[in-house]
Amino acid sequence: MTAVQGDVSEHLEIVERAMAELSLPGRAVPVRKPAVLEEVAALIIPGGESTTISKLLVKFGLFEGVIERVEEGMPLMGTCAGCVLLAKEGDEQVMATGTRLLGLMDMAVDRNAFGRQRESFEVDLDIDEIGSARGVFIRAPAIRRVWGECEVLARLEERIVMAQQRHMLALTFHPELSGTTGVHSRLLELI
Amino acid sequence: MPIDLDLSKLRFGTELLKRGFAKMQKGGVIMDVTNAEQAVIAEEAGAVAVMSLERVPADIREAGGVARMADPKRVEEIIDAVTIPVMAKARIGHVMEARVLESLGVDMMDESEVLTPADPYFHIYKREFTVPFVCGCRSLDEAMRRIFEGAAMIRTKGEAGTGNVVEAVRHMHLLNRAIAELEGTDSEELHRMASHYCKSYLVLLTEVRRSQGRNEPVSDDDIIFSDVSLKDAQEGLYEALVEVRDIQRLPVVNFAAGGLATPADAALMMHMGCDGVFVGSAIFKAENPEARGKAIVEAVTHFDDPQVVAQVSKGLGEAMKGLDITQLPIEARLQERGW
């Protein structure tokens, strides 16, 4: 779990629960330093502020390391802000703030696509192979389009809200806040 | 706006969304700004959000008079200038300032003792809003009342505009120790505490009855504010206390605020268990705002690594001068506002 900023402990709790359900050994740890990044089997970039998380990943020497580890096959999940950072293409907000994207997935993402906090919402989603799940969208981005190897896993009407490319998952909502382990289990199964 | 979505299926303004928004700020620094230019500097320095207000607390102290919410035009300019969330301060109990800020698209309201309180009896009933609130506290009872009223985030009051961290430390100690004391407390005692916490809600009704020559005490079914009866408040506070006892922390995100001036101050508050920090006057009252802002952001992330805190603290230039709290008369202490 990258722990530079965001709702890290909520993810840690759900990962621990999902690991127990799947009888997987090991534990969930926060990652703030390159040395810890080298040791993890899978990584989550949590929700938070993408501009802040991107700056801190660069500052703390994690940015290139994440890309290298993923290219070697480490499973990676990005939720909300993390989803923005996984994309190859951002929007004007990403450009304006000079946010560096990891650029790992064949998708274009719009930040704050649904509006500000007053427009944040909860809704039931239907996710491929996972089924029904509560989607918690907080100043959420939306995936504008996918191409190449990237596949759509869930939509909210015509907007893409979850996608997968090989061992990478991107979600524009917060599975760590809805109390269920389905999405995190899927990441663990990619290990 | 999700104009192309079926709105009937969406739920807005739930507790989960409000508290969830606050959780996204964790591990971050929220910086006070008074205009768009400062907001851009704050975003560039790595702030997770900015707090918009008319003057920073140090200038409010100096200016005196009544401190109110910021000019809506300024707030809009700040909203347009940055992509990170924008928060804004409303006066304690000033439901209309809060409604105005909500209508502007502010992402979180701070019902703040830094501004002059507008209601002598009640804080805002925050559950009635779609947008979440953060509130200050000095102790567990204040925190629990604010959470019962619907606050999605708590911060220490500290003593804003002083550049002196001692009051934030005091409030965090008081909160931490009170939470630790709850461990092993039985439900009878928690019920007693919940009733005790309700006392400040009864001031209006007691005053009215006394002035009418009536001596009947407030009963369980009496409405004490909005549509909340005394019994509702006692039960709500009791349930919240049970949760705090069991999880041994507040059920919402808890930040430090009020007097933090240096990267080491911010790291100290994180070390005491805060989830993140607000920095008010310290940044734009310092010699080099951008460098100080960046340094505080890094110190918060690496609060447990003194070498990093040392590194980022080097050569930041002069910090704000600061005030000795013991020299402040009680009426000049902003933390005394609210109850």
Side-chain angles (χ1 to χ4, degrees), chain A residues 1-160:
Chain A
M1 199 89 45
T2 65
V4 297
Q5 192 270 317
D7 68 333
V8 178
S9 64
E10 286 71 16
H11 273 290
L12 291 173
E13 270 171 42
I14 298 279
V15 169
E16 297 270 3
R17 261 175 57 199
M19 285 167 72
E21 282 170 17
L22 296 169
S23 303
L24 286 173
R27 60 198 178 93
V29 294
V31 176
R32 289 195 198 93
K33 300 230 158 105
V36 184
L37 178 63
E38 290 305 311
E39 290 166 11
V40 297
L43 186 71
I44 298 174
I45 303 180
E49 283 307 316
S50 57
T51 40
T52 311
I53 294 176
S54 169
K55 280 192 182 83
L56 292 175
L57 286 178
V58 174
K59 190 104 202 174
F60 302 145
L62 292 165
F63 196 92
E64 303 297 337
V66 169
I67 296 172
E68 273 170 35
R69 290 290 327 267
V70 170
E71 282 173 352
E72 291 161 16
M74 175 187 68
L76 174 66
M77 177 164 89
T79 62
C80 197
C83 169
V84 174
L85 298 182
L86 289 191
K88 285 205 168 136
E89 214 176 273
D91 61 357
E92 305 89 45
Q93 287 195 7
V94 170
M95 300 269 282
T97 51
T99 305
R100 269 184 75 188
L101 303 179
L102 292 163
L104 290 163
M105 288 178 69
D106 297 332
M107 60 182 190
V109 175
D110 293 328
R111 279 188 66 191
N112 303 338
F114 300 95
R116 307 190 66 84
Q117 175 60 16
R118 67 181 171 202
E119 283 93 39
S120 293
F121 58 92
E122 290 182 50
V123 70
D124 287 321
L125 295 172
D126 187 32
I127 305 173
D128 275 8
E129 292 168 47
I130 292 179
S132 162
R134 192 71 178 159
V136 181
F137 291 80
I138 297 176
R139 283 173 48 99
I143 300 169
R144 188 168 64 237
R145 63 190 184 93
V146 299
W147 63 89
E149 292 182 286
C150 191
E151 292 167 45
V152 175
L153 293 187
R155 285 178 194 270
L156 183 57
E157 295 186 15
E158 81 276 25
R159 290 170 200 246
I160 303 164

Side-chain angles (χ1 to χ4, degrees), chain B residues 18-333:
Chain B
K18 290 177 176 178
R19 292 183 180 191
F21 169 80
K23 286 175 177 174
M24 298 312 140
Q25 310 298 309
K26 290 200 319 185
V29 180
I30 300 168
M31 302 182 192
D32 275 3
V33 298
T34 58
N35 57 44
E37 188 193 342
Q38 288 182 353
V40 171
I41 292 172
E43 181 173 50
E44 185 52 38
V48 281
V50 290
M51 175 69 70
S52 134
L53 72 178
E54 194 73 33
R55 297 187 179 98
V56 294
D59 290 338
I60 289 176
R61 272 184 193 287
E62 212 170 296
V66 175
R68 310 179 179 91
M69 74 167 179
D71 181 336
K73 185 165 183 287
R74 282 278 178 82
V75 178
E76 271 178 351
E77 286 166 2
I78 291 167
I79 287 174
D80 290 342
V82 293
T83 65
I84 52 179
V86 175
M87 304 183 180
K89 287 185 191 291
R91 281 181 267 176
I92 289 173
H94 207 313
V95 178
M96 282 319 296
E97 280 192 353
R99 286 288 180 206
V100 166
L101 294 170
E102 184 177 52
S103 79
L104 294 175
V106 163
D107 296 296
M108 178 175 248
M109 268 89 73
D110 183 0
E111 186 182 19
S112 179
E113 69 284 356
V114 166
L115 306 184
T116 310
D119 189 324
Y121 298 109
F122 300 113
H123 284 248
I124 296 169
Y125 191 37
K126 294 163 274 285
R127 288 182 199 276
E128 292 175 339
F129 284 72
T130 304
V131 169
F133 278 82
V134 55
C135 288
C137 79
R138 285 167 298 182
S139 54
L140 182 61
D141 59 306
E142 273 191 63
M144 298 310 280
R145 281 191 291 273
R146 299 298 86 80
I147 292 167
F148 173 69
E149 292 155 4
M153 181 176 185
I154 290 293
R155 56 173 174 75
T156 61
K157 282 183 174 172
E159 191 53 48
T162 60
N164 188 339
V165 78
V166 66
E167 294 302 296
V169 170
R170 182 197 305 279
H171 299 155
M172 199 55 195
H173 269 310
L174 288 168
L175 194 63
N176 283 343
R177 191 57 207 238
I179 292 171
E181 287 268 294
L182 287 180
E183 193 142 35
T185 306
D186 62 19
S187 64
E188 195 184 332
E189 179 67 4
L190 294 184
H191 274 296
R192 198 194 57 74
M193 289 174 69
S195 298
H196 179 69
Y197 287 2
C198 283
K199 280 187 182 154
S200 71
Y201 289 136
L202 309 182
V203 175
L204 172 67
L205 204 48
T206 309
E207 191 178 315
V208 164
R209 288 186 181 168
R210 195 175 297 143
S211 71
Q212 308 303 311
R214 297 169 59 183
N215 289 321
E216 65 194 86
V218 179
S219 74
D220 284 356
D221 295 328
D222 280 324
I223 298 296
I224 51 176
F225 61 85
S226 187
D227 56 353
V228 176
S229 70
L230 175 55
K231 200 172 158 199
D232 295 335
Q234 284 170 341
E235 279 174 8
L237 283 161
Y238 167 75
E239 277 159 30
L241 275 169
V242 169
E243 188 179 3
V244 172
R245 178 193 65 189
D246 294 346
I247 63 175
Q248 281 293 298
R249 59 154 293 147
L250 293 181
V252 299
V253 167
N254 181 24
F255 270 44
L260 286 68
T262 66
D265 286 351
L268 171 66
M269 297 313 298
M270 295 300 287
H271 172 72
M272 290 189 79
C274 292
D275 295 312
V277 305
F278 284 90
V279 184
S281 317
I283 292 177
F284 291 100
K285 282 279 154 192
E287 200 177 321
N288 187 342
E290 192 163 352
R292 185 161 294 266
K294 277 186 181 156
I296 292 175
V297 169
E298 286 184 50
V300 164
T301 311
H302 289 299
F303 70 91
D304 53 358
D305 186 341
Q307 286 182 342
V308 175
V309 180
Q311 188 60 35
V312 301
S313 301
K314 288 177 187 166
L316 288 180
E318 194 96 4
M320 66 181 287
K321 186 159 177 285
L323 291 171
D324 180 354
I325 307 290
T326 57
Q327 302 301 310
L328 273 185
I330 197 134
E331 60 275 14
R333 291 187 202 174

